[in-house]
Amino acid sequence: MSGIDNLPPLRDVIAAHDLAPKKSLGQNFLLDLNLTAKIARLAGDLTGCDVLEVGPGPGGLTRGLLAEGARRVLAVEKDPRCMPALAGIAAAYPDRLQTVNGDALEVNPLEYLTPPIKIAANLPYNVGTELLVRWLTPPEWPPFWESLTLMFQREVALRIVAAPGSKAYGRLALLAQWRTDPRIVMELPPEAFTPPPKVNSAVVHLTALPAPRYPADPAILNKVVAAAFNQRRKMLRSALKSVSPAIEDHLVAAGIKPTERAEQVHLEAFCALARSLAQAT
């Protein structure tokens, strides 16, 4: 029996279901149930909340979320091999775990979950960033979720919390800090995982703000930031020339020097630029 519930240790579960992690799916399993329970606690008070989990694998974090009191967990897993292991967890927690064998990019959580909703996941490396950007850029705000507690490669985590002027500062930092309060809450070494990845990992907790820090159209801001940091070594008047033929005028209107580079510009100024562009359309 494990330390958090009456289910078998994860190594036994993996052996019983022949769940060797697949590199093609970005799988790195976290087997220490004390660690998965700690990550679940980092998501905050789960009682009274539904939780979306992406990429549960054999269910280590799933068990942590349920043991910590989540009202209901929706576990979306692409690998069909993991479904029998997750079914065992569902049997131990009646009516509290629903599993979907599918692609998280195509699943609508609101078909299964009821607010308040939190998202907690050891995200597969190959889709983690794309999922985060989707969760940060819905057309309307506040989003369907209250908070995100997500594990990434440490390099990605640093990009989410980066400050202007740093090497890590870019699109992820701006999108995350525009609408959430992001912070790194835990770091893990490669040996915590099976198989060990080549890099350290970190858990980032992002709390949704009631409203964005500065007004801006999300689609325009996303477009501007993506273009600006796609050519981060160029001056903004060059990097953003595809966004508008009058980009220099818009940069000046936003208080940005056309000769500045993207990594020098603060979130507030990028939002002002997005507003200026919106007024011209």
Side-chain angles (χ1 to χ4, degrees), residues 4-5 7 10 29-30 32-33 35-41 46 51-77 82-83 85-93 96-100 120-122:
I4 66 169
D5 53 33
L7 292 164
L10 282 176
F29 296 154
L30 188 59
D32 186 334
L33 288 166
L35 280 178
T36 60
K38 182 177 180 180
I39 294 168
R41 288 193 293 273
L46 299 180
V51 180
L52 168 64
E53 182 189 5
V54 174
L61 180 56
T62 314
R63 288 164 64 174
L65 294 167
L66 291 165
E68 291 299 320
R71 179 177 62 193
R72 183 176 180 82
V73 174
L74 171 66
V76 182
E77 175 56 63
C82 296
M83 302 312 288
L86 295 170
I89 302 171
Y93 290 93
R96 292 179 58 201
L97 173 62
Q98 181 162 1
T99 58
V100 173
N122 173 11

Side-chain angles (χ1 to χ4, degrees), residues 176-238:
Q177 295 170 34
W178 179 45
R179 287 171 149 177
T180 77
D181 179 18
R183 54 196 177 92
I184 294 176
V185 292
M186 185 178 183
E187 297 196 18
L188 295 98
E191 54 267 27
F193 298 87
T194 299
K198 295 180 180 179
V199 296
N200 286 4
S201 300
V203 177
V204 185
H205 183 75
L206 305 94
T207 304
L209 298 173
R213 295 187 193 277
Y214 309 103
D217 179 279
I220 295 176
L221 180 63
N222 195 13
K223 181 180 179 180
V224 166
V225 171
F229 285 96
N230 188 45
Q231 304 182 68
R232 59 190 301 147
R233 294 184 179 180
K234 288 190 174 184
M235 290 181 275
L236 281 173
R237 66 184 178 197
S238 300

Side-chain angles (χ1 to χ4, degrees), residues 132 150 152-164 166-170 172-174 176-177 182-184 186-187 200-204:
L132 175 62
L150 306 172
F152 297 98
Q153 297 179 39
R154 184 171 181 272
E155 175 188 350
V156 176
L158 291 174
R159 284 163 52 197
I160 294 169
V161 301
S166 66
K167 279 188 176 182
Y169 183 65
L172 276 186
L174 285 155
Q177 295 170 34
R183 54 196 177 92
I184 294 176
M186 185 178 183
E187 297 196 18
N200 286 4
S201 300
V203 177
V204 185

